[in-house]
Amino acid sequence: SPEPWVAKGLTYRGAEDATNAITAFQQALRLDPAHYGAVRALVETYLVLDDTNNVASLLDKSFRQHSSDASYWTVLGDLYSLALRQKPLLAAPRDRTPTQVKIAVAPRTDSAALAGHLNPARTRQCYEHALALAPRNPEILLRVGDAYLNADDFTAAADTYAKLLELRPNLPQVRERLAAVYLKTDQKAKAITVYKELIKQDPLRFDYCNVLGELCEESAKLDEALSFFEQSLKLNPDQSDRYAAICELQHRLKRPAAVVVTLAAWKKRFPVDWRVPYFQAYIEVGNKEYAKAIVAYADAEILAREAPQEVKLNAQFYFSYGAACERAGDRDKAAVLFRKVIATDAKFANAYNYLGYMWADNDTNLTAALELIQQAVTFEPDNSAFRDSLGWVLHKLGRDTEALAELRRAVASLDKETKADSEERQDDAVVYDHLADVLLQLGQPAEAVAMWQRGLKLDPGNHGIAAKLAAHAPPPK
């Protein structure tokens, strides 16, 4: 009988006599090559001794045994998984991750493991053998599903977890795995359904609420996303990121009063979080309160500098800060901030364009402005706003023929664009105004009038364009 030999081996192993322990386990396997207790004990002993060659040899030999015992295959799959976890270099070279092997190796020519190595697919194959023998065993189903998930076979993993839930509908860890599969395969609707079931089972899990909020937001279900984030914050108020997400959603849903309340609560809970004044600045810019926005940006910069963890403000922060300064009339500070953007990110095209256009529009540093805008156009040749800026600075430099060509390109690009935002369309009116000014300068008043008319249609409240039309449009017949 193999059992006494296994017991004897375990006793030797407990006495730290590995040699006699191995001899006893080997005798048990000679009596019964498919005795999973002996296989497990011997593999564990070899692993402790770091005898990886014997681990690989024993597991390979055990895999080739014929057994109709589901437990044998379950244990063997567990041992493959254990060995690969403890000794990653046991994986055949092409099956290792880049961190496990750093040299190029020739690919294997068959599915068998190389000498002294393990084939990671054997873990899954062992569990599949077990499942074929015990198709309704929940523990085996869970192992098979996990093996499929680890192998990125998401369809098979989802099917297996679904079968397991039919047998054990109250296993939250299975639903979590199923939700993970749906997330990896971008099946957001199914993931949302599963996470809602998880919350019903454990309503205090704020992390489930956060995942649901993110999924709903990605699915354009903004009201539902906001509700889940608010629920998460009630369960755990110490989540600064959730305040930020809630403020953003309230702003997108056009609920300014709610934003004010959330910002106040956020600031009270996290008084030194630099993102609070940063978001406040974002709101003030939306309200066109640029002086208030500048104060908020300055506060955010100070708090970020004094934060206990290093905060590196990015180019977008300084660009937004600079744009607020320009709109508030402080062009000198805006220029400093735009240069900081370029120093932080040398390919931030909007900073080149904004600074160049600001100078051109105010007849300042025109040569430098031209160079900046040309750089922006190099980054984004089809950007209509950049082409407009280039045409405008060329006009300011007296190069109207070149300016006309660039402004026509800008208008042609605009005509191809579809914009629903009314403010964006109002901004586009400036492009038609610039083209009209250059056309008038080149002695083409009729076309200039047509351009002003198109611009005024986009921005009916533009008094400057209206005045030019009144001055140059022919009197009605």
Side-chain angles (χ1 to χ4, degrees):
S1 173
E3 280 77 10
W5 288 102
V6 174
K8 186 177 183 180
L10 292 173
T11 304
Y12 277 124
R13 195 171 72 182
E16 298 185 359
D17 185 350
T19 301
N20 280 318
I22 290 170
T23 299
F25 295 144
Q26 289 173 336
Q27 177 60 24
L29 286 175
R30 276 192 285 270
L31 294 167
D32 181 2
H35 192 287
Y36 60 80
V39 176
R40 177 164 51 200
L42 192 50
V43 167
E44 290 171 347
T45 304
Y46 285 145
L47 285 172
V48 170
L49 297 173
D50 201 24
D51 188 349
T52 54
N53 283 334
N54 272 323
V55 169
S57 175
L58 175 58
L59 286 176
D60 187 57
K61 183 177 180 181
S62 300
F63 184 79
R64 300 178 190 283
Q65 296 298 320
H66 297 284
S67 174
S68 57
D69 184 353
S71 297
Y72 174 81
W73 295 106
T74 302
V75 169
L76 196 59
D78 291 347
L79 290 172
Y80 267 102
S81 178
L82 174 68
L84 289 166
R85 248 189 351 263
Q86 290 191 6
K87 310 290 180 183
L89 290 177
L90 271 171
R94 81 169 188 182
D95 293 313
R96 299 179 200 159
T97 64
T99 58
Q100 294 167 340
V101 61
K102 300 182 184 300
I103 58 174
V105 293
R108 293 178 300 181
T109 56
D110 55 48
S111 59
L114 295 173
H117 295 100
L118 297 178
N119 181 352
R122 290 275 178 84
T123 303
R124 184 185 72 251
Q125 291 165 1
C126 287
Y127 293 146
E128 287 173 335
H129 280 310
L131 188 62
L133 295 166
R136 294 181 61 81
N137 185 302
E139 292 184 4
I140 298 174
L141 277 166
L142 182 59
R143 284 174 168 82
V144 172
D146 289 349
Y148 287 139
L149 184 59
N150 291 334
D152 293 341
D153 189 345
F154 301 122
T155 302
D159 290 343
T160 306
Y161 291 140
K163 290 176 184 175
L164 179 53
L165 282 174
E166 290 177 6
L167 296 172
R168 295 287 189 274
N170 295 320
L171 291 177
Q173 68 269 32
V174 179
R175 291 192 190 280
E176 285 183 343
R177 288 172 168 84
L178 185 56
V181 171
Y182 289 146
L183 289 177
K184 286 179 179 290
T185 53
D186 200 31
Q187 298 183 71
K188 293 185 178 66
K190 289 184 177 180
I192 288 172
T193 300
V194 174
Y195 272 110
K196 285 181 177 179
E197 288 297 321
L198 284 167
I199 285 183
K200 287 180 184 178
Q201 293 182 358
D202 192 351
L204 299 181
R205 289 288 299 270
F206 67 90
D207 53 324
Y208 291 162
C209 296
N210 289 337
V211 175
L212 272 169
E214 291 166 3
L215 287 171
C216 289
E217 185 174 4
E218 291 170 7
S219 303
K221 300 176 180 179
L222 302 189
D223 282 302
E224 203 170 352
L226 178 60
S227 175
F228 282 120
F229 285 142
E230 289 174 337
Q231 184 179 345
S232 172
L233 209 54
K234 287 178 183 177
L235 294 170
N236 180 10
D238 292 321
Q239 301 180 83
S240 187
D241 289 346
R242 290 312 111 210
Y243 285 101
I246 289 170
C247 282
E248 174 65 26
L249 284 168
Q250 289 170 335
H251 179 70
R252 290 171 65 185
L253 290 167
K254 302 188 185 305
R255 300 175 186 174
V259 174
V260 172
V261 173
T262 303
L263 273 172
W266 189 7
K267 186 174 183 178
K268 184 177 180 180
R269 194 83 184 184
F270 297 93
V272 295
D273 190 327
W274 67 275
R275 293 175 299 173
V276 178
Y278 185 28
F279 200 91
Q280 180 68 52
Y282 173 70
I283 297 301
E284 299 296 359
V285 168
N287 295 332
K288 298 186 178 180
E289 295 283 354
Y290 301 117
K292 292 180 180 178
I294 291 172
V295 173
Y297 278 123
D299 288 345
E301 188 176 28
I302 292 169
L303 288 175
R305 192 182 306 127
E306 296 174 351
Q309 290 88 21
E310 182 183 2
V311 175
K312 190 173 182 180
L313 297 176
N314 61 16
Q316 183 59 53
F317 174 88
Y318 289 110
F319 179 77
S320 301
Y321 191 179
C325 290
E326 186 273 331
R327 290 171 181 174
D330 191 347
R331 289 190 289 273
D332 290 338
K333 186 171 184 178
V336 170
L337 289 166
F338 289 137
R339 288 195 177 281
K340 191 163 188 173
V341 173
I342 294 169
T344 305
D345 181 355
K347 294 185 178 181
F348 201 110
N350 279 323
Y352 291 91
N353 178 69
Y354 205 131
L355 179 56
Y357 181 80
M358 181 181 75
W359 280 342
D361 206 39
N362 290 278
D363 297 305
T364 305
N365 303 327
L366 292 180
T367 302
L370 175 62
E371 292 174 358
L372 287 165
I373 295 168
Q374 285 173 329
Q375 184 61 63
V377 171
T378 300
F379 290 134
E380 297 181 25
D382 298 323
N383 189 308
S384 59
F386 295 176
R387 288 290 175 184
D388 170 63
S389 298
L390 182 55
W392 194 236
V393 72
L394 288 168
H395 168 64
K396 293 285 186 170
L397 287 165
R399 296 159 61 176
D400 285 325
T401 302
E402 296 171 74
L404 181 63
E406 292 299 337
L407 290 168
R408 286 197 186 281
R409 287 186 67 174
V411 167
S413 295
L414 285 181
D415 289 343
K416 296 177 183 177
E417 296 173 2
T418 302
K419 297 180 180 178
D421 190 288
S422 58
E423 288 192 10
E424 288 184 350
R425 300 306 296 169
Q426 289 174 5
D427 291 341
D428 292 346
V430 175
V431 183
Y432 291 100
D433 185 26
H434 288 165
L435 177 56
D437 284 349
V438 173
L439 287 166
L440 187 68
Q441 185 72 24
L442 292 172
Q444 302 178 49
E447 190 178 355
V449 167
M451 291 300 110
W452 278 320
Q453 288 172 337
R454 292 182 68 178
L456 195 62
K457 187 175 181 181
L458 292 175
D459 186 8
N462 192 314
H463 299 297
I465 295 178
K468 291 175 184 178
L469 265 177
H472 296 285
K477 294 181 180 179

